[in-house]
Amino acid sequence: MDIIFLAFFTKLRGIMPAKRLSMKHVKHILELHFEERLSIRAIARGVGLGRSSVGRILDRAKVANVTWPLPKGTSDADLERILYPSPTLSGSVERELPDWMEVYKELARHRSLTLHQLWTEYIERNPQGYQYSYFCELYREWRGYREDPTMRITRKAGERLFVDYSGKQLRVTHPITGETRTVELFVAALGASGYIYAEATETQKTFDFCSSIGRAFQFYGGVTRMLVPDNLKSAIIKFRKDDVPILNDSLRELADFFRVGVVPARPRRPKDKGLVESSVLLVQRRLRGALRNREFFGLGELNEAILDQVQELNAALMQKTKVSRKELFEELDRPMLRPLPSEPYEYVQWVHKRKVGSDYHVHIENHKYSVPHSYLGRQVEARLGPYTVEIFAGNERIASHVRSRESGKYTTVKDHMPKHHREYEKWSPKRYIQWAESIGPRTKALIEVYLASFEVPEQAFNRCNGTLILAREYGHEAMEMGCELALRRNTRTTAAVRQLVKQMAAESEQPKQLSIDHENIRGAAYYATTDPKK
């Protein structure tokens, strides 16, 4: 095979597809073409390939002067060498190849840089170098494209963080009972360097998912421009092909906090996040091998071991490029990451569809928080941070409170109270007790019970006032007896106390039977002791 033919064939290879068919397929195509005299369309249907693929195989055979049947003794390896000759034989002089790792780094560093620009610079340095089409093919081969026709994209440095969960769970042992439980494995990888972060979490729920992303950004020491999660429920409420996906509220808060765009992978499209899929596989294999004989008694202990293994994995040289992920991270991703926010990330939870009660409070996590009384009966939403509770009506924040963990209690802002409620602010618990003491000890005891029933004494003022004014209507004596019954029966509502006081007042007003004592009136006893025969 002469040099001129190889030079021409090398030029032709620049437009050939990256994938090589098996020689079995190639022989079938040649047989149908030469012996059956079928058209390219018919051959494509017969072998289950595209017409362009069949056409390119026949073009290669034509350039290489391949006939059918093949010469006796021609093996599959011989046929492959004829159709796909070695590039080092493609000219009279061996041509200098670029440093493909440097080409990759340049593409990752500069967002607007193209492969064509790098080829132009290569030709300026090497006028006898490879033409652009073959330059591109050699780069694709170096990236590992020959056996995989799927388009792969060179990720820009600092652009994307891919996150996902492993399908293989880890185990943690209870230190006392010895029972084991499964935990999830979260994995993140940067787009350009492939730098990996991993940790174990209790679940895949929103709190754990968002917290893991926050810790991943802390691990990297910066923030990417985009976040690429899978379509798990902790992240995406609804994926829309033709519109922006609907994010979980907590993930949206995280994205706003870090100023990162969320671009979820398409459902059932694992190649959209192939980098993290391969990283998950690497971490799985590493952990299953290195930690297989170890037992862990808590998430903290397990995560320390995971971090050690991940750091070793990042420091190891990659087989193809002979460069470590850590070196690529320091050179490519780290300089391009945006700075972390000045404040640490804190998980935020949203609570929807809460109705403002008649006491102008909203019930959230077994605690009641006040809102302006003008919102009675309205539907509101609450944003729960680690230390605060913010309540919204639509897009307007109407209240903000310190978050309380006490169950069954109230948090009230006086400005939220109606005007006639605020009138009671001039009253104090001491003044109500003095008023009750002027009526009687039992009334005082009942008012003290009222005041002790509420965390904020002002919340008992309405009840105290409604009870004490009963003394004006029914009198102090009936009031004392009614309060005594209320204390005995553990009655607390104003309506129930009113009923008891009213009942005591009614009984005290009934006329008493008069006793008649006179010498001329004998009475029933006289007749009971007198002998009737006399």
Side-chain angles (χ1 to χ4, degrees), residues 42 47 61 88 142 223 240 251 280 316 383 449 463 469 498 520:
V47 298
T88 57
W142 179 84
V223 182
R240 296 177 175 178
L251 182 62
V280 165
R383 181 180 182 271
V449 169
R463 185 174 292 180
I469 61 176
R498 171 181 283 275
N520 294 330

Side-chain angles (χ1 to χ4, degrees), residues 192-481:
S193 62
Y195 199 55
I196 296 172
Y197 172 77
E199 68 173 21
T201 62
E202 291 288 355
T203 68
Q204 293 188 19
K205 293 182 179 179
T206 306
F207 171 76
D208 287 319
F209 180 65
C210 291
S211 300
S212 293
I213 294 173
R215 287 188 287 269
F217 283 135
Q218 289 288 340
F219 172 78
Y220 294 124
V223 182
T224 57
R225 291 170 177 77
M226 285 181 276
L227 178 68
V228 185
D230 200 357
N231 272 272
L232 68 165
K233 292 182 179 179
S234 302
I236 310 301
I237 295 176
K238 186 176 182 180
F239 185 89
R240 296 177 175 178
K241 291 183 179 180
D242 55 348
D243 204 348
V244 179
I246 302 175
L247 304 182
N248 177 286
D249 288 331
S250 297
L251 182 62
R252 190 182 69 246
E253 287 278 349
L254 179 144
D256 291 341
F257 178 82
F258 286 108
R259 296 184 296 111
V260 60
V262 179
V263 186
R266 294 172 295 174
R268 296 176 294 279
R269 294 292 188 275
K271 292 178 182 178
D272 285 5
K273 52 184 176 64
L275 176 64
V276 74
E277 293 279 355
S278 61
S279 299
V280 165
L281 186 59
L282 283 172
V283 174
Q284 281 179 359
R285 290 173 176 170
R286 181 90 182 191
L287 297 183
R288 288 165 69 90
L291 308 181
R292 66 186 184 279
N293 297 321
R294 293 183 59 180
E295 192 173 17
F296 300 95
F297 299 98
L299 272 183
E301 183 181 348
L302 175 58
N303 279 326
E304 287 180 5
I306 290 174
L307 183 58
D308 290 341
Q309 296 300 319
V310 166
Q311 287 177 336
E312 290 183 14
L313 187 61
N314 284 329
L317 298 180
M318 290 182 281
Q319 184 175 5
K320 185 174 185 63
T321 61
K322 306 305 179 185
V323 179
S324 70
R325 292 176 177 83
K326 182 174 179 58
E327 290 173 332
L328 288 177
F329 169 70
E330 297 293 344
E331 187 173 352
L332 299 178
D333 278 316
R334 183 187 285 278
M336 301 303 294
L337 292 176
R338 293 185 289 110
L340 290 165
S342 57
E343 298 294 328
Y345 168 72
E346 296 174 343
Y347 174 74
V348 173
Q349 177 185 356
W350 280 85
V351 177
H352 298 284
K353 295 183 179 180
R354 288 291 188 272
K355 187 176 181 180
V356 180
S358 59
D359 59 354
Y360 46 88
H361 284 72
V362 181
H363 190 268
I364 300 170
E365 293 186 327
N366 294 323
H367 192 89
K368 289 192 174 183
Y369 300 91
S370 69
V371 300
H373 66 90
S374 58
Y375 289 91
L376 290 180
R378 292 272 298 275
Q379 291 281 354
V380 296
E381 298 177 333
R383 181 180 182 271
L384 279 61
Y387 308 107
T388 60
V389 173
E390 298 173 281
I391 302 174
F392 292 80
N395 294 324
E396 179 187 3
R397 189 178 73 173
I398 60 175
S400 179
H401 301 275
V402 175
R403 188 170 182 177
S404 175
R405 308 291 180 177
E406 295 185 272
S407 179
K409 302 295 184 178
Y410 287 76
T411 297
T412 306
V413 175
K414 293 181 179 180
D415 289 341
H416 294 165
M417 303 167 66
K419 183 178 180 180
H420 62 283
H421 286 196
R422 290 199 299 270
E423 292 295 326
Y424 295 119
E425 291 182 11
K426 61 185 178 181
W427 289 81
S428 65
K430 182 178 179 181
R431 186 170 180 181
Y432 276 110
I433 291 173
Q434 290 174 347
W435 183 3
E437 191 174 16
S438 68
I439 298 173
R442 297 176 182 84
T443 304
K444 177 186 175 183
L446 182 62
I447 293 303
E448 287 176 340
V449 169
Y450 284 173
L451 293 170
S453 299
F454 294 88
E455 182 181 0
V456 180
E458 285 81 354
Q459 293 173 329
F461 284 2
N462 282 346
R463 185 174 292 180
C464 292
N465 193 70
T467 299
L468 291 173
I469 61 176
L470 296 176
R472 299 175 184 173
E473 186 175 351
Y474 298 106
H476 287 197
E477 183 180 354
M479 184 70 177
E480 280 288 280
M481 291 188 291

